[in-house]
Amino acid sequence: MRLLRVVLLATASSLAEASLQIVPGGTWTASNNEHVQAHGAGIIQVNSTYYLIGEDKTGGSAFQNVNCYSSTDLVQWTYVGALLSRTSSGDLGPNRVVERPKVLFNAKTGKYVLYMHIDSSSYGDAKVGVATGDSVCGKYSYAGSFRPLGHQSRDMGLFADDDGAGYLLSEDRENGLRIMRLSDDYLTVAASTYLWGDSIEAPALLKLNGRYYMFGSRLTGWDPNDNVYSTSTSLTSGWSAWKTFADAGSKTYTSQTNAVLPVGPNAAVYLGDRWVSTNLMASTYVWLPLSISGATVTMANAESWVPNLSTTSSSASIAKPAETTYEGESATYGGKARNVGCGSCSGGTAAGYVGGPDKGSVTFSGVRSDAAARTTIRVRYVNGDSSPRYANVRVNGAAAQKLAFLPTGSSVSSSTLHTDLKSGTNEIVIEGVGDGWGPDIDRLIVPVS
């Protein structure tokens, strides 16, 4: 009887976490109540925690910070701090370019080693920069920059093989895409390993079951394209011709490769950026599970998906629960919230004038869940401003949770709300923050279980 109780409790626990979802292209609000600012990022796993390390684009293209976030589920992100920040001069000074930061742990030295693309605003330097830290998400000491083996280096990545050898992946605009072996301490480049003569940037390298997969992007500036991969059983030779892995013509679902994360022994997740070149702080992330079979890689699109981080199969996702939609214009309005026309919204109408001095609010009652669970609700919205809007969200009378809503123009996008629902009916209230205006609310999409 005790064994049955343990099994039932384990099953209930699994169900309670089963609907936390990754929402590609959405606003991801971190613990600091702001959209995650970690573009061109890499992820390093330490024990059971994932650390997302990327570029802060809050103020545009010029370097501001290399930010670090932590998560145990790839869905809910805690802002930890900046590994490096702008200095008064030098490589990290004003109007400098610092892109695609990646971190490896060096077991021989006990140091975390950070590589990044270092450049001038005109992209004339084309160097890599190196920094080291004693902890993965602490402060790093900047050591300087160089051209690896004398070659240009723009978009770059890092890879550690099973034997502990580290490699720099580097786009050399004059010659092609390079793999270069790092020194034993990872602080310098020791030797050339392989060169593709093709024009490929945004490199990311994965190894599964003895086979290597190099992912990358064609050179189209900030605009997306159909990204490609090449595969081999050796780093030094035998690489296949480049092939696309997402739907042809989809431009990799409007994204560009920044990293590929192995999940378990047989699965992986594509991590991409959806750049907004005219407003870089509004750029989002397209993360999707890859399907890998031998030398073949494919990737399907998804509006949202449930990660399975304990998988031993070839899939990094599990089946998504059924969902129910609740229209904004069918909710109950408070203050001076009211219907507004919205050509891109599901019914041509949205709940508008949320927040503001008249304290507009939108209350969704009777929101159903078949289980007491922590889940991801997609708040579909419109924000026509050039900067984020914010709203407080209260679920079943609990403390307000502040959500960010990135600019969308006239289009509809999603902001992710991770919250606890009780079994049965729930109430969700969306209101302004102070006298600020919240977004126009199209609808809520709520997992049933």
Side-chain angles (χ1 to χ4, degrees), residues 5 39 95 102 125 144 169 186 217 274 296 333 395 402 424:
R5 181 174 179 272
H39 308 282
N95 301 313
K102 305 290 188 293
D125 290 355
L169 323 173
Y186 295 173
S217 165
R274 180 172 290 170
T296 301
Y333 294 162
V395 179
K402 184 178 176 182

Side-chain angles (χ1 to χ4, degrees), residues 29-32 36 50-52 68-73 75-81 137:
T29 305
S31 62
N32 60 349
V36 170
Y50 297 90
Y51 294 91
L52 176 68
C68 185
Y69 298 79
S70 67
S71 175
T72 57
D73 53 29
V75 175
Q76 303 172 102
W77 290 97
T78 297
Y79 175 68
V80 181
C137 227

Side-chain angles (χ1 to χ4, degrees), residues 134-149:
D134 294 323
S135 61
V136 63
C137 227
K139 291 295 184 182
Y140 280 57
S141 298
Y142 185 68
S145 63
F146 60 93
R147 284 192 169 187
L149 302 179

Side-chain angles (χ1 to χ4, degrees), residues 424-443:
T425 58
N426 298 265
E427 180 184 80
I428 299 174
V429 180
I430 302 177
E431 55 197 13
V433 178
D435 287 339
W437 292 106
D440 295 340
I441 305 299
D442 175 22
R443 53 183 171 153

Side-chain angles (χ1 to χ4, degrees), residues 289-311:
L290 291 164
S291 177
I292 300 175
S293 178
T296 301
V297 181
T298 58
M299 184 174 76
N301 199 10
E303 188 174 5
S304 64
W305 58 283
V306 180
N308 180 14
L309 301 183
S310 60
T311 185

Side-chain angles (χ1 to χ4, degrees), residues 391-405:
N392 281 329
V393 182
R394 303 178 190 273
V395 179
N396 295 325
Q401 182 175 339
K402 184 178 176 182
L403 285 190
F405 297 83

